C-alpha cells in the first residue's frame, strides 16, 4: 500500500513525515498476518519476508542513487512494498525469485514512474502478477501448514475442483484462522481483519473500498456461485484466497485508488465483480490480483467522472 497525500498542486505529492507515520501504521497492521504466516508455515517464511523487505529497500536506494534523486528509504514505503510482496508469495518461493519481484516492484513499477504516489498500479500487486506470469510453477507451489514438503491445494482450487478433486474443503474455522494452503499473508482472515480494523481506527484507510469489494464479491458468488441461482457459498469465497489482503491493504492504495468516496465505492464494486467473474468463469481459481490491477488502470477515468467541478469550472481537489 503505497500512501500519498492529496494537495492542491498534485494528487500525489506527499509530506515525508506524515507518509512515514502512515507507513508505520500499515506495517503495524500487517504484523498479525505476517506472524500468522510464520506460525503456520514455519521459520523459512520469515526469511522470505526479510529478503523481500531488504531487496525492496536496497532497490529503492540504488535506483534513486542512479537517477540522482533524493533518498526516500526513510519514508518506509519500500518496507511496506516489500512486506506486501512477501505476503503475496507462497512460503516455498525461491529467494532469488523474491529479489526479482522486489526489483520489478520498486525499480520498474514505482521509481521509473517517478516514485511514491506516481505509480499507476500497486507495485507489490504488479510484481506478484509478473512473477505469476513468469514463474507459474513456483507461484503455485502450495504446502500444507506445518508440513513444508507436502503439497496442498488452495481452498479456491479445491472448490473449483482443478487442483485436487479428492481433497476435502477446509472448514470455515480453518479459513478464518489460517490453517490452509495459500500465500503467506492471505491465509488468516482473522489476522487480516484485525489489521484492517486498526487501519480504519487510525483513519489510514476508509471502509468504502473493502466493504464494497467484499460485499460485491459475496453477493455475486451467492447469486451465481452455486448449481442454482442464490445458492453459492459466498462465505467460503469471502474467507478464501487473497480477498482480505487485496481489499484491505492493496485496493486502498492512495496513489492507485479514486479520490472521492463515490469513486472508491465504484472501484470496490468493480473489483468485486471482476474477482467473481474470474473465479467462477475462467480456468483461474483466484482473481484478486488481476481485478485490482484492472481497476487501478481505470482510476483516472473514475476520477474524471466523480471528482466534482469547482465553482470556476475546473476539477476540485477531493
Amino acid at each position: 500500500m503505497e500512501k500519498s497525500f492529496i494537495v492542491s498542486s498534485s494528487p500525489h505529492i506527499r509530506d515525508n513525515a506524515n507518509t512515514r507515520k502512515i507507513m508505520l501504521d500499515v506495517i503495524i497492521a500487517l504484523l498479525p498476518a505476517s506472524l500468522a504466516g510464520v506460525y503456520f508455515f514455519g521459520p523459512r517464511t520469515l526469511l522470505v519476508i526479510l529478503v523481500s523487505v531488504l531487496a525492496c529497500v536496497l532497490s529503492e536506494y540504488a535506483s534513486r542513487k542512479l537517477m540522482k534523486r533524493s533518498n526516500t528509504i526513510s519514508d518506509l514505503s519500500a518496507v511496506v512494498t516489500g512486506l506486501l510482496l512477501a505476503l503475496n508469495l507462497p512460503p516455498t518461493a525461491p529467494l532469488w525469485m523474491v529479489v526479482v519481484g522486489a526489483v520489478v516492484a520498486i525499480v520498474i513499477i514505482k521509481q521509473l514512474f517517478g516514485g511514491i504516489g506516481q505509480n499507476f498500479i500497486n507495485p507489490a500487486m504488479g510484481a506478484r502478477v509478473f512473477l505469476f506470469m513468469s514463474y507459474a510453477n513456483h507461484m503455485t507451489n502450495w504446502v500444507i501448514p506445518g508440513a513444508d514438503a507436502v503439497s496442498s491445494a488452495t481452498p479456491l482450487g479445491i472448490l473449483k475442483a482443478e487442483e485436487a478433486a479428492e481433497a476435502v474443503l477446509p472448514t470455515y474455522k480453518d479459513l478464518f484462522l489460517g490453517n490452509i494452503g495459500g500465500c503467506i499473508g492471505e491465509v488468516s482472515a482473522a489476522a487480516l481483519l484485525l489489521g484492517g480494523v486498526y487501519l480504519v481506527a487510525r483513519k489510514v484507510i476508509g471502509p468504502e473500498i473493502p466493504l464494497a469489494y467484499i460485499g460485491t464479491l459475496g453477493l455475486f458468488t451467492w447469486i451465481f456461485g452455486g448449481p442454482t441461482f442464490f445458492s453459492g457459498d459466498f462465505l467460503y469465497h469471502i474467507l478464501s484466497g487473497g480477498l482480505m489482503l487485496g481489499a484491505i491493504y492493496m485496493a486502498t492504495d492512495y496513489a492507485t485508488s479514486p479520490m472521492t468516496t463515490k469513486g472508491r465505492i465504484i472501484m470496490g464494486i468493480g473489483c468485486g465483480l471482476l474477482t467473481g467473474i474470474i473465479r467462477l468463469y475462467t480456468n483461474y481459481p483466484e482473481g484478486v490480483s488481476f481485478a485490482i490491477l484492472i481497476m487501478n488502470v481505470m482510476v483516472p477515468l473514475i476520477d474524471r467522472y466523480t471528482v466534482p467541478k469547482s465553482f470556476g469550472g475546473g476539477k476540485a481537489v477531493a
Side-chain angles (χ1 to χ4, degrees):
M1 181 190 303
E2 300 277 339
K3 293 296 178 185
S4 57
F5 282 88
I6 300 172
V7 296
S8 58
S9 59
S10 168
H12 302 309
I13 293 177
R14 75 210 187 281
D15 175 87
N16 188 69
N18 286 334
T19 299
R20 180 183 174 87
K21 183 179 178 182
I22 288 177
M23 292 297 172
L24 185 58
D25 276 333
V26 176
I27 293 169
I28 293 171
L30 287 169
L31 285 179
S34 302
L35 293 174
V38 174
Y39 174 79
F40 285 113
F41 296 117
R44 188 184 184 279
T45 304
L46 181 60
L47 183 61
V48 172
I49 294 172
L50 292 175
V51 168
S52 180
V53 170
L54 181 61
C56 280
V57 171
L58 291 178
S59 294
E60 176 142 324
Y61 177 83
S63 60
R64 300 287 295 188
K65 195 80 171 176
L66 287 172
M67 289 185 276
K68 296 182 179 179
R69 297 175 179 170
S70 60
N71 192 293
T72 55
I73 60 173
S74 62
D75 66 16
L76 298 181
S77 63
V79 174
V80 171
T81 298
L83 189 52
L84 283 171
L85 174 61
L87 296 184
N88 275 279
L89 299 176
T92 56
L95 299 183
W96 61 263
M97 190 182 77
V98 178
V99 175
V100 171
V103 172
V104 170
I106 296 296
V107 179
I108 297 178
I109 300 177
K110 182 182 177 183
Q111 293 301 333
L112 289 184
F113 284 90
I116 185 171
Q118 300 183 59
N119 46 284
F120 71 101
I121 60 174
N122 182 277
M125 190 63 84
R128 183 194 190 281
V129 169
F130 172 84
L131 293 177
F132 175 77
M133 301 298 291
S134 302
Y135 312 107
N137 289 337
H138 291 305
M139 288 294 290
T140 55
N141 184 23
W142 316 115
V143 294
I144 298 173
D148 293 337
V150 181
S151 296
S152 170
T154 63
L156 289 174
I158 297 172
L159 187 65
K160 209 172 184 71
E162 290 184 345
E163 296 183 13
E166 74 285 353
V168 178
L169 289 173
T171 64
Y172 291 137
K173 179 181 178 181
D174 285 338
L175 291 172
F176 185 69
L177 296 179
N179 191 30
I180 55 174
C183 291
I184 292 170
E186 72 179 21
V187 292
S188 177
L192 292 166
L193 285 170
L194 180 63
V197 170
Y198 174 82
L199 290 179
V200 172
R202 295 282 293 173
K203 298 183 178 180
V204 173
I205 66 171
E208 301 91 359
I209 290 177
L211 290 180
Y213 192 164
I214 295 169
T216 300
L217 178 65
L219 182 62
F220 187 89
T221 52
W222 176 51
I223 297 173
F224 301 107
T228 61
F229 287 145
F230 301 99
S231 64
D233 192 344
F234 66 91
L235 186 57
Y236 194 93
H237 276 278
I238 288 174
L239 295 176
S240 301
L243 177 63
M244 294 292 181
L245 181 60
I248 298 171
Y249 301 93
M250 309 191 81
T252 53
D253 177 356
Y254 287 8
T256 56
S257 61
M259 297 180 185
T260 66
T261 298
K262 181 180 178 181
R264 291 191 286 271
I265 292 172
I266 292 172
M267 179 174 178
I269 293 173
C271 285
L273 289 174
L274 288 169
T275 301
I277 290 169
I278 294 170
R279 285 187 178 185
L280 298 182
Y281 301 115
T282 73
N283 292 327
Y284 186 44
E286 176 61 286
V288 170
S289 299
F290 294 104
I292 292 176
L293 291 184
I294 291 171
M295 292 308 297
N296 282 168
V297 177
M298 295 293 291
V299 165
L301 185 63
I302 295 173
D303 280 340
R304 179 179 178 181
Y305 291 103
T306 58
V307 175
K309 291 183 178 180
S310 64
F311 183 75
K315 290 290 184 179
V317 177

